[in-house]
Amino acid sequence: MSEFNQMVRRILILAVGGLTALLLTTSISGQAAPSANQFVENSSTETGELKSAAHDSKASLKPRSASRKVAVIIDDLGNGMEGTEEILNLPIKLTVAVMPFLETTQEDARRAHERGHDVIIHMPMEPKQGKPEWLGPGAILTSMSDEEIRQRVEAAIDQVPYAVGMNNHMGSKVTEDERVMSVVLQVCRERGLFFIDSRTNYRSVVPRLSEAMGLPRLENNIFLDDVGSEAHVTKQLRQVLNMLKKGERNSCVTIGHVGIQGKKTAAALKKNIPILQSEGVEFIGTSELVWEQFSPSLQLGPGVTLP
């Protein structure tokens, strides 16, 4: 990212203070027109592909006007994980969450940026359960002082080039701790980054603190590959589509992973992308969801995090 772009982003974030907290959209309106097609899961669990009940899967898929938006976040890049190449080559815009301080951190961030994807920092944070070695280096712990937390967040931001935001890796303990998350979000605010709550803890204080600090409220709505099979990813994508078709929301944030299940997640996405697009789904970066939370007629100021 150029120095000019960084400077512009920081000017935006330092101009008006908490005024923008009043501007956040806490509910999304606008029901999409219903589709004549009702999707069912392919009976073949090997392919894990959405199939239309009204049309053969080989039929021509005619795109419709996009009124339903899906942001796909892919976690755990930065360590040469399995499925990385397949994910980066998907024909849609993604948000790529790169862990700091690892062997391919900077390379993966650069490659994702060159392919037009949003890059965010996948910040290791202390969980309530789980093996310590799963955290990775530079993790945020609840036992740390405010200054220690600040230093680790700053170092992670400096480590991941092209980052426009951050989300939590694990972090079920940290994201319910108001003191710790206040420091994390303050640093993000100062550095012009938004924060996406991965929702590893339903008691997370992140949404409330984000609104209070004038940051966009962004959170994961559904994990795609909490079970590592193509059929399960397809099932989760169908659930996303059903939520959008019911008019519960007109956008949805999802999270998948590279790693053990990375190739399966990539394969399921690749098969189902054209089918979802035929149902009016537009795949967007999380940075576009940030813009949607602000009125275009309003002058932006501090607390506004726009990449």
Side-chain angles (χ1 to χ4, degrees):
M1 181 179 297
S2 69
E3 293 183 1
F4 175 76
N5 287 339
Q6 290 180 351
M7 180 176 67
V8 169
R9 238 182 17 179
R10 290 175 185 174
I11 290 173
L12 288 174
I13 203 170
L14 292 173
V16 170
L19 178 61
T20 55
L22 301 174
L23 310 178
L24 295 172
T25 303
T26 57
S27 62
I28 302 173
S29 61
Q31 183 171 350
S35 166
N37 290 346
Q38 295 183 343
F39 272 63
V40 297
E41 191 173 355
N42 192 332
S43 58
S44 168
T45 57
E46 295 181 358
T47 60
E49 183 176 357
L50 288 175
K51 196 172 184 180
S52 169
H55 299 282
D56 184 89
S57 60
K58 295 181 180 179
S60 174
L61 298 174
K62 297 181 180 179
R64 305 171 187 176
S65 58
S67 57
R68 302 156 179 164
K69 299 179 181 181
V70 174
V72 177
I73 301 172
I74 301 296
D75 284 350
D76 295 343
L77 280 86
N79 204 27
M81 302 297 281
E82 190 172 350
T84 295
E85 191 66 31
E86 289 84 353
I87 286 291
L88 292 179
N89 287 330
L90 286 172
I92 56 171
K93 182 165 185 175
L94 301 169
T95 297
V96 175
V98 182
M99 294 187 68
F101 313 115
L102 294 176
E103 184 177 349
T104 64
T105 293
Q106 297 190 353
E107 178 188 353
D108 286 353
R110 175 185 55 77
R111 292 169 65 206
H113 174 74
E114 288 174 351
R115 286 165 170 78
H117 303 309
D118 283 349
V119 175
I120 63 174
I121 301 152
H122 195 39
M123 190 73 206
M125 295 183 173
E126 182 182 3
K128 290 184 174 181
Q129 298 177 341
K131 297 179 181 180
E133 57 265 30
W134 291 350
L135 269 177
I140 302 298
L141 307 176
T142 55
S143 59
M144 291 176 173
S145 68
D146 289 6
E147 184 57 31
E148 287 174 319
I149 295 166
R150 170 175 285 275
Q151 288 175 359
R152 290 211 170 182
V153 177
E154 291 272 10
I157 294 172
D158 292 338
Q159 245 270 314
V160 182
Y162 308 108
V164 296
M166 178 181 292
N167 74 343
N168 52 292
H169 171 61
M170 304 177 73
S172 55
K173 187 172 184 179
V174 166
T175 55
E176 71 174 15
D177 189 304
E178 186 162 344
R179 177 189 70 87
V180 177
M181 283 310 307
S182 292
V183 178
V184 172
L185 293 176
Q186 181 60 37
V187 176
C188 287
R189 187 174 183 265
E190 291 169 3
R191 295 291 296 268
L193 305 182
F194 53 83
F195 190 95
I196 305 165
D197 186 358
S198 298
R199 298 296 285 175
T200 57
N201 184 346
Y202 288 104
R203 293 190 177 96
S204 172
V205 299
V206 173
R208 175 174 57 80
L209 290 178
S210 293
E211 291 187 351
M213 297 175 71
L215 290 167
R217 175 172 174 162
L218 297 172
E219 56 193 76
N220 175 37
N221 301 124
I222 187 168
F223 283 102
L224 294 178
D225 52 8
D226 46 326
V227 175
S229 72
E230 290 185 36
H232 182 75
V233 175
T234 293
K235 179 183 176 182
Q236 297 299 84
L237 289 170
R238 182 180 62 182
Q239 186 174 339
V240 168
L241 180 60
N242 287 338
M243 284 192 296
L244 296 173
K245 291 174 75 172
K246 288 177 181 177
E248 297 174 8
R249 60 181 77 240
N250 65 5
S251 64
C252 185
V253 177
T254 68
I255 291 181
H257 301 80
V258 292
I260 296 174
Q261 73 275 44
K263 289 187 177 181
K264 294 177 182 178
T265 298
L269 280 166
K270 186 175 182 179
K271 290 173 183 175
N272 290 304
I273 284 167
I275 299 173
L276 290 165
Q277 289 173 329
S278 77
E279 285 290 320
V281 170
E282 178 187 3
F283 291 93
I284 63 173
T286 48
S287 59
E288 293 169 64
L289 293 179
V290 173
W291 279 102
E292 290 184 358
Q293 291 198 20
F294 298 92
S295 168
S297 63
L298 241 18
Q299 187 173 358
L300 303 177
V304 181
T305 306
L306 296 175

